[in-house]
Amino acid sequence: MTPVFSSELLLALLREGAASPVERCGILRGEGARIVRADATANVAPDPARHFEIDPAALLAAHRDARGGGAGIAGWYHTHPGGRPDPSPTDAAQAAADGMLWLIVGHRTARLWRAVADGAVHGRFDPVAFTVELPNRVEKKCLAVHMEDGERTVSFRPSRIAPL
């Protein structure tokens, strides 16, 4: 299934990433292929300027909510302040090969990854094409979403452009 995001959700995450000098993080919540929300959590990493760790209490609460009928946990998001929207070696070392989605925001760009065994990036991640629903159209096979300066223009890069 191709993950589906609303443009509003992606724009909110791009703004969050652009506004913070430390790594922000949270939980992607979904219903089927649709990512319906991104729950921001505290970053409890000892060095949040360079690493992220989702607050365990927030993670447990999300699991309880999902078991109670709320949106499921589709994956995670975090920002790379001043960095690219690509997984770092640290991300790879911390990721389980569990098929979860990782949305990474950096340089005003968001990219989606899946944590897998023997991934193309650092042996742990494969890029994931996704769909973005806008008010007047749908953009399919996006590999990245970029927010221009001024936060008014969002551009899409279709998957026919080669990944890293």
Side-chain angles (χ1 to χ4, degrees):
M1 279 191 292
T2 300
V4 179
F5 290 84
S6 71
S7 58
E8 293 85 10
L9 177 59
L10 287 172
L11 189 55
L13 293 172
L14 287 163
R15 286 180 176 145
E16 180 180 348
S20 179
V22 298
E23 290 200 21
R24 305 290 299 266
C25 60
I27 303 167
L28 297 174
R29 305 290 301 272
E31 296 172 354
R34 184 174 304 282
I35 307 302
V36 295
R37 67 183 208 248
D39 296 344
T41 68
N43 180 351
V44 298
D47 182 6
R50 297 182 44 207
H51 303 286
F52 85 98
E53 183 178 336
I54 292 173
D55 179 5
L59 184 57
L60 287 173
H63 279 290
R64 274 193 298 274
D65 179 64
R67 282 193 312 270
I73 297 174
W76 329 109
Y77 77 89
H78 73 283
T79 64
H80 285 170
R84 294 177 44 87
D86 305 320
S88 68
T90 300
D91 293 336
Q94 294 178 336
D98 55 9
M100 297 297 274
L101 296 173
W102 286 55
L103 184 76
I104 302 177
V105 177
H107 286 304
R108 296 183 174 265
T109 300
R111 292 193 70 185
L112 191 62
W113 305 88
R114 188 172 307 279
V116 297
D118 299 319
V121 177
H122 304 301
R124 180 58 72 215
F125 293 99
D126 282 337
V128 176
F130 55 97
T131 296
V132 181
E133 295 180 337
L134 293 104
N136 299 330
R137 70 183 195 278
V138 173
E139 290 286 339
K140 296 182 178 182
K141 299 182 181 176
C142 295
L143 278 181
V145 174
H146 181 75
M147 179 177 65
E148 300 297 330
D149 290 335
E151 301 181 6
R152 288 185 296 255
T153 304
V154 179
S155 60
F156 301 91
R157 297 187 183 132
S159 63
R160 68 178 171 269
I161 296 175
L164 298 176

